[in-house]
Amino acid sequence: MTNFIPQWHSRFAKAIPASDLQPKAPQLQDADLKSSVLGLNQSVDAIDKNATVSIISDKSFHIDQPLDQQLLQATGLDPKQLKIDWSKPGDAFDPKVPVLKIRRITDASGDGSLAEVLEDGALKVNFDSRNWGPDYLQEASRIQIGRDGEVHVNQVDVFASISAKDLESGRVINLGTQQINASQGSFLVNLKDKLDAVSTGSLRDQYSIEVNLFSGSEERPQQLESFSEAITLIKPMQYGANHLGDETSNTFNYNDIGSAIGSARIYKGRGGTDFLNLDGIRSTDVLSFNGRAGIDAATASDLGRQAFYGGTVFDSLSLKNGDELYLQGIERLRFSDITIDLTPNLDATSDRQWNTQVMDVNGAWRFNTGSDDVVLVSLDTGFDANAAGRGDVHGDLNHAINRTATNTLTNQPDHGHQAMSVMAAAHDGSEVAGIAPGASLWAYNVYAGGTSLYGAIDSAMSQRQGNQRLVFQGGIQGESWWTDGATREQMTALLDSTADVGFFSIAAGNGGPGGNLTDPNYLSSVSGVASGTNRFNNLASVGALQFTGQDEVDGLLNATGTDLAGYSNRGKNLTLVAPTDSRSILNSGGNVRGFGGTSCANPNLAGVAALVWSENANIDGGELREILIGSTMDIGAGGFDTTFGFGLVNAESAIRRAHALDQNQELASFWANNEFMA
């Protein structure tokens, strides 16, 4: 792909009936071909006088569609038939035949609106040092002659200073100076907190962006190039009950109020099965969805080209009326003629799992369902023995590698099996749909007849190969685990060694009323290894979130309310909460039973962590926890609180952040993870 993205200049965007074009020569019509000509150096053989010219604008330009197809759609002219040999010096054409404008300053979001930028968004400035010419290159290079006469050309530093002029008020805003890499062909400009989109009676304002490229220093610059282009800055509507959801099912309503007032909307459904009602809009009124022309119900769940904004990525829905809608956590688009499901067609058994709905796992599955390079390591009871003395493993967990002997527990022998099914059961249309079935799975029995906790973690680290990342699911609670198989100091050193490649999801403990662990401090602190959240930034303590009511929404089981389970440990070292009381597979017989406690919450979080790491393996365990924390849904008091920690884990929001960092870390990093929480 070239460094420049073509754009039709707005002057030539209006529709013109071909019948209005008067002949200038026997074989062609008047040269007022306002939506042609690509500089093809060809001419027109014939034009259908009954044809009309469609609109091509920034919004209707499709990067993924060949230019000749777009020209044909817009003009009715087949580019192969254009022979513009009549455009010679001396020929008088009034007005002149326009040439395709190459935009050099574009919206960095990638949503297809090249000259329209959301407030607090970013610009992409395109340049190509190869086109600077000999004089420019000479200015930007320093030539040195070596001792033996060899010539060395050292590229000097190149800088860009950027400013914006408000075309309504005339005010000039300095957008900063930055050093650029002349070999990359483009650079980004962060507009966060710099420009205001609100103008007189509108949520839109126009700015002229000026770019000056120079070498040397700001005090003694050597000018290389200067250019400017206009952009339209738009303030998106994104706050309030009609734009921001909660962990239950929500319905949002879009209305066309006129693009001059506000043409950009951001909808963040967050948890639950969420609908966007598009009042008076038919599916045929969609200009593009995620970079593709129109919208197709059969392929709508495909990611397509996601739009960057606020350090994350969104589904981008462009309407023919000029409005642009950014979507996260929206499962259903309800047009006046059809309702389109944006969730992937995977295992329908998840429809009965409130945990996948409340954490928006269905939306995360659009990105991936786990990777072989991410291993879910179960630190739990492993498998119990079947009649033959081997692991009693259900077929949905056949991908598990059992690293220890079977457990000899007489109470809850299938505890580890249930935990593994929650986070990794295969999607085969039966029993339970695991959160990350595509991830690798290792089973360790750290209870009766197995190995110590220290031994299991040490074994997993030694078994790890290549670029594998390990997500440890810890169904452990109580202080004794700190010294299980080693001293406290040795356990601490081992956990320290996992920082780059490991992440721990550890049960907060069931120390309160109705729990299995009597903990007098359950209201002020989590239990055992989970309390190491301050010492280890790749460790998360997980509290148990219960539903207080349920309802079926479009065939999916949703929570109508939630609260922390009364038995669940909490306090200043609680990191996150995740669903408990989830469907699980009991044993090889495939029996399905509810699974409770923080023992269920921690595999729910572990499964989500595996999805996020499968999307972006370039982050370490601490960065993974930061993404999970920064993308949670705050369901308690604003910000961190000692009941819900940082909030309820949200799989789609977290994986979108990881995806953004993987695709364009510089652009995503313009926003901290917790600044634009989905």
Side-chain angles (χ1 to χ4, degrees):
M1 180 176 286
T2 63
N3 291 325
F4 298 130
I5 301 175
Q7 177 213 13
W8 292 94
H9 196 288
S10 58
R11 284 178 49 208
F12 311 116
K14 72 176 185 178
I16 303 172
S19 58
D20 291 347
L21 307 179
Q22 299 300 317
K24 196 70 178 178
Q27 76 276 22
L28 51 93
Q29 305 293 329
D30 187 280
D32 186 18
L33 304 175
K34 292 191 177 182
S35 59
S36 69
V37 175
L38 300 177
L40 297 172
N41 298 320
Q42 299 169 345
S43 67
V44 180
D45 279 338
I47 296 177
D48 181 359
K49 291 186 178 182
N50 296 318
T52 58
V53 181
S54 302
I55 296 172
I56 288 186
S57 66
D58 288 338
K59 283 186 174 295
S60 63
F61 183 84
H62 304 296
I63 296 175
D64 59 351
Q65 185 177 353
L67 288 173
D68 58 348
Q69 292 183 19
Q70 296 187 65
L71 180 64
L72 181 60
Q73 291 174 5
T75 66
L77 303 177
D78 185 350
K80 295 179 181 179
Q81 302 300 319
L82 293 176
K83 299 177 181 178
I84 312 179
D85 54 7
W86 38 262
S87 183
K88 301 176 181 178
D91 285 352
F93 294 102
D94 187 21
K96 297 293 184 182
V97 177
V99 178
L100 178 67
K101 178 178 174 59
I102 304 296
R103 282 205 68 90
R104 303 187 65 178
I105 304 173
T106 64
D107 178 16
S109 72
D111 64 6
S113 300
L114 301 181
E116 293 184 344
V117 187
L118 297 193
E119 186 178 79
D120 292 328
L123 297 172
K124 181 180 181 181
V125 178
N126 301 283
F127 67 91
D128 190 342
S129 60
R130 294 172 298 179
N131 295 331
W132 287 351
D135 292 336
Y136 289 134
L137 292 175
Q138 184 177 357
E139 293 290 342
S141 304
R142 181 178 292 112
I143 300 177
Q144 294 180 335
I145 306 299
R147 179 174 300 176
D148 297 324
E150 69 275 16
V151 177
H152 301 281
V153 180
N154 299 317
Q155 201 75 21
V156 301
D157 293 336
V158 178
F159 298 88
S161 63
I162 309 99
S163 62
K165 181 179 180 179
D166 189 327
L167 296 180
E168 182 180 58
S169 67
R171 186 169 68 99
V172 176
I173 301 96
N174 180 17
L175 299 180
T177 298
Q178 56 180 288
Q179 185 173 349
I180 63 175
N181 186 335
S183 66
Q184 289 184 341
S186 66
F187 62 90
L188 299 173
V189 181
N190 187 3
L191 300 182
K192 186 173 181 292
D193 300 326
K194 293 179 180 178
L195 301 182
D196 188 354
V198 179
S199 61
T200 304
S202 175
L203 297 179
R204 303 163 63 91
D205 200 3
Q206 285 195 316
Y207 288 86
S208 175
I209 306 299
E210 181 170 329
V211 178
N212 288 292
L213 302 177
F214 63 92
S215 61
S217 64
E218 289 191 73
E219 293 74 23
R220 301 182 62 183
Q222 299 181 41
Q223 187 82 14
L224 296 175
E225 188 177 13
S226 178
F227 54 92
S228 63
E229 288 180 349
I231 64 157
T232 299
L233 195 70
I234 305 173
K235 188 176 187 66
M237 300 179 184
Q238 59 179 306
Y239 302 107
N242 195 39
H243 294 268
L244 184 65
D246 56 23
E247 77 273 25
T248 68
S249 175
N250 297 107
T251 297
F252 308 98
N253 297 302
Y254 161 83
N255 293 285
D256 182 3
I257 60 175
S259 61
I261 299 174
S263 60
R265 321 288 172 83
I266 296 177
Y267 297 96
K268 293 175 283 186
R270 307 198 289 183
T273 304
D274 298 314
F275 289 75
L276 176 61
N277 290 334
L278 294 112
D279 186 42
I281 303 295
R282 296 179 62 84
S283 59
T284 53
D285 295 326
V286 174
L287 185 64
S288 65
F289 183 63
N290 291 343
R292 298 187 180 94
I295 188 168
D296 181 5
T299 60
S301 65
D302 296 346
L303 284 182
R305 186 175 65 240
Q306 295 285 299
F308 280 76
Y309 187 67
T312 183
V313 291
F314 289 84
D315 290 323
S316 175
L317 181 70
S318 297
L319 301 177
K320 292 180 180 179
N321 63 12
D323 284 357
E324 187 89 25
L325 314 183
Y326 278 18
L327 315 175
Q328 265 197 31
I330 302 296
E331 284 77 28
R332 304 288 189 271
L333 298 177
R334 186 180 284 149
F335 296 96
S336 59
D337 60 329
I338 190 175
T339 295
I340 292 180
D341 183 358
L342 296 184
T343 58
N345 186 21
L346 296 176
D347 192 338
T349 58
S350 66
D351 297 352
R352 309 306 304 162
Q353 298 173 192
W354 85 281
N355 59 321
T356 56
Q357 267 65 259
V358 79
M359 296 190 298
D360 265 352
V361 175
N362 286 312
W365 284 337
R366 293 174 62 191
F367 291 80
N368 72 75
T369 56
S371 163
D372 288 340
D373 288 333
V374 176
V375 184
L376 283 161
V377 182
S378 181
L379 306 173
D380 210 300
T381 67
F383 298 111
D384 68 335
N386 59 19
R390 292 186 290 272
D392 193 14
V393 183
H394 184 259
D396 284 2
L397 295 180
N398 275 344
H399 58 298
I401 297 176
N402 191 18
R403 298 291 190 190
T404 53
T406 56
N407 73 64
T408 57
L409 293 171
T410 56
N411 63 324
Q412 297 198 50
D414 295 311
H415 190 277
H417 193 289
Q418 290 178 272
M420 285 184 275
S421 70
V422 167
M423 61 187 181
H427 287 191
D428 62 0
S430 65
E431 286 87 38
V432 169
I435 294 171
S440 299
L441 179 62
W442 297 348
Y444 284 89
N445 168 23
V446 296
Y447 283 84
T451 186
S452 66
L453 179 63
Y454 183 92
I457 298 171
D458 186 55
S459 169
M461 289 293 289
S462 65
Q463 298 282 350
R464 175 185 167 271
Q465 296 182 359
N467 294 321
Q468 281 183 326
R469 300 292 188 265
L470 309 180
V471 176
F472 294 90
Q473 170 261 316
I476 53 177
Q477 52 181 318
E479 295 302 312
S480 63
W481 291 103
W482 279 113
T483 54
D484 189 54
T487 65
R488 177 74 176 250
E489 291 73 21
Q490 290 172 323
M491 186 72 77
T492 297
L494 178 60
L495 293 176
D496 279 335
S497 72
T498 67
D500 291 338
V501 298
F503 174 80
F504 290 81
S505 175
I506 308 295
N510 309 323
N516 63 301
L517 174 72
T518 302
D519 185 354
N521 300 314
Y522 85 97
L523 290 175
S524 59
S525 178
V526 299
S527 170
V529 176
S531 65
T533 54
N534 293 332
R535 176 64 175 80
F536 309 102
N537 65 4
N538 63 328
L539 189 153
S541 58
V542 193
L545 190 74
Q546 290 181 324
F547 58 83
T548 57
Q550 291 181 306
D551 190 20
E552 188 173 287
V553 178
D554 200 28
L556 283 74
L557 189 64
N558 278 253
T560 57
T562 59
D563 200 1
L564 189 74
Y567 55 75
S568 182
N569 280 53
R570 62 206 75 176
K572 60 186 178 185
N573 48 14
L574 176 65
T575 311
L576 300 162
V577 295
T580 187
D581 302 332
S582 303
R583 288 164 59 89
S584 69
I585 304 173
L586 196 61
N587 50 38
S588 63
N591 299 314
V592 175
R593 190 175 73 183
F595 189 35
T598 56
S599 294
C600 178
N602 80 84
N604 267 301
L605 176 62
V608 172
L611 295 178
V612 175
W613 228 341
S614 296
E615 189 65 22
N616 187 345
N618 298 317
I619 56 177
D620 62 27
E623 291 166 332
L624 174 57
R625 188 179 77 167
E626 179 189 356
I627 289 174
L628 292 169
I629 289 175
S631 54
T632 56
M633 191 181 61
D634 192 348
I635 56 176
F640 177 85
D641 64 74
T642 57
T643 302
F644 301 100
F646 288 97
L648 169 63
V649 62
N650 186 290
E652 181 178 344
S653 177
I655 207 167
R656 284 180 175 276
R657 171 66 173 177
H659 179 84
L661 289 168
D662 181 62
Q663 297 295 304
N664 193 326
Q665 184 172 8
E666 180 186 4
L667 181 56
S669 297
F670 284 163
W671 291 70
N673 189 34
N674 60 358
E675 286 185 282
F676 197 78
M677 184 176 60

